[in-house]
Amino acid sequence: VTHTTFSLYCQSKPVIESSSNLRFASYASTHGYFQLLHQMGRARLSPFTNLWSNIHDFTSKGNTNHFTIVPQSEVECESFCPRLSALVPQLVEDEEDSLLFQTDAALPVIPVKSKIPESAHFVVFVPGAVDEARSLMIENELQRRQGKGVGVLASVEFGFGSEIQPSFSSLVASLGKASVSQSVLTHNVIMMIVGTAPPNVSQCLICQPVGARCADICAVLDELSVSGRGFGASH
């Protein structure tokens, strides 16, 4: 493959081989369409985990780089890809459906090499709180689209295995939180760092500004990435 631009969602690490002049950006939320999240759920794909920028080149030689990361704006414009949602307006019959149509299409744009400010908020949702996590994700993504915020800075959904328990417990303790019982964490946990403070997040284990603990939080997220469970942003 040569001279191709990808707006990519990938739950595993992307791999290229014998290719050149490839350009990558995160999957653009503007490419979403009605029932996309429902279809991802049926396929057991998490919108919270996107490893689009963690690219491995099997044919890399020395300092030769066969791909580049491009600004997100390049793949969010109409000239790159028409809005898929605009192609089926007959599905939208009233104002309420129209709002659902617009928001249901939203996926977070996961940045690369994003600096995480101390004012950002770190949120860990209890297992089963997917709907609340998705609402926060959509709210931040819509604010990013409107230029009112930076959206989702990092996100990951992972199974809480024993290998991550020590690091997570240490992080919880360092944040001044009570320890989390392993018996509670029987399903997937969602971790997010969002640019805009959530107004009301009830179903969460942790919700607080990143603050001085940014390095500790990122270290745990890095460990999730190393263990193959996915982390959608570099820092």
Side-chain angles (χ1 to χ4, degrees), residues 185-199:
L185 303 171
T186 54
H187 301 286
N188 283 10
V189 178
I190 298 169
M191 286 176 145
M192 299 176 70
I193 299 179
V194 292
T196 304

Side-chain angles (χ1 to χ4, degrees), residues 11-196:
Q11 197 152 357
S12 60
K13 296 178 181 179
V15 172
I16 63 174
E17 185 173 5
S18 301
S19 302
S20 61
N21 296 299
L22 303 184
R23 307 166 82 243
F24 290 89
S26 178
Y27 183 88
S29 60
T30 51
H31 301 164
Y33 54 87
F34 187 60
Q35 290 292 302
L36 171 59
L37 293 178
H38 172 72
Q39 292 173 359
M40 292 181 73
R42 292 289 300 271
R44 297 188 177 183
L45 297 173
S46 172
F48 303 100
T49 303
N50 185 2
L51 302 182
W52 71 274
S53 64
N54 198 352
I55 302 162
H56 178 73
D57 184 358
F58 272 117
T59 50
S60 176
K61 294 182 180 179
N63 295 325
T64 303
N65 198 349
H66 296 132
F67 67 91
T68 57
I69 302 298
V70 301
Q72 195 64 31
S73 57
E74 290 195 22
V75 298
E76 291 184 331
C77 61
E78 290 286 331
S79 60
F80 178 80
C81 178
R83 289 178 181 268
L84 298 180
S85 58
L87 303 180
V88 282
Q90 66 272 18
L91 293 178
V92 183
E93 298 180 355
D94 55 39
E95 184 176 348
E96 183 177 351
D97 286 341
S98 177
L99 179 62
L100 173 63
F101 186 80
Q102 295 172 36
T103 57
D104 189 47
L107 289 179
V109 171
I110 305 299
V112 62
K113 296 180 180 177
S114 175
K115 180 176 176 58
I116 298 178
E118 291 189 356
S119 59
H121 270 66
F122 175 56
V123 185
V124 180
F125 289 92
V126 298
V130 175
D131 288 341
E132 189 166 23
R134 184 176 297 143
S135 295
L136 179 59
M137 173 187 75
I138 290 174
E139 175 189 343
N140 272 262
E141 176 57 23
L142 292 177
Q143 289 183 356
R144 186 198 67 81
R145 286 194 210 174
Q146 298 164 5
K148 297 179 180 179
V150 294
V152 179
L153 286 161
S155 68
V156 62
E157 182 175 1
F158 65 98
F160 201 94
S162 58
E163 69 276 13
I164 198 64
Q165 172 75 31
S167 296
F168 186 79
S169 297
S170 176
L171 174 62
V172 169
S174 73
L175 293 171
K177 302 292 182 180
S179 60
V180 180
S181 170
Q182 176 70 44
S183 62
V184 174
L185 303 171
T186 54
H187 301 286
N188 283 10
V189 178
I190 298 169
M191 286 176 145
M192 299 176 70
I193 299 179
V194 292
T196 304

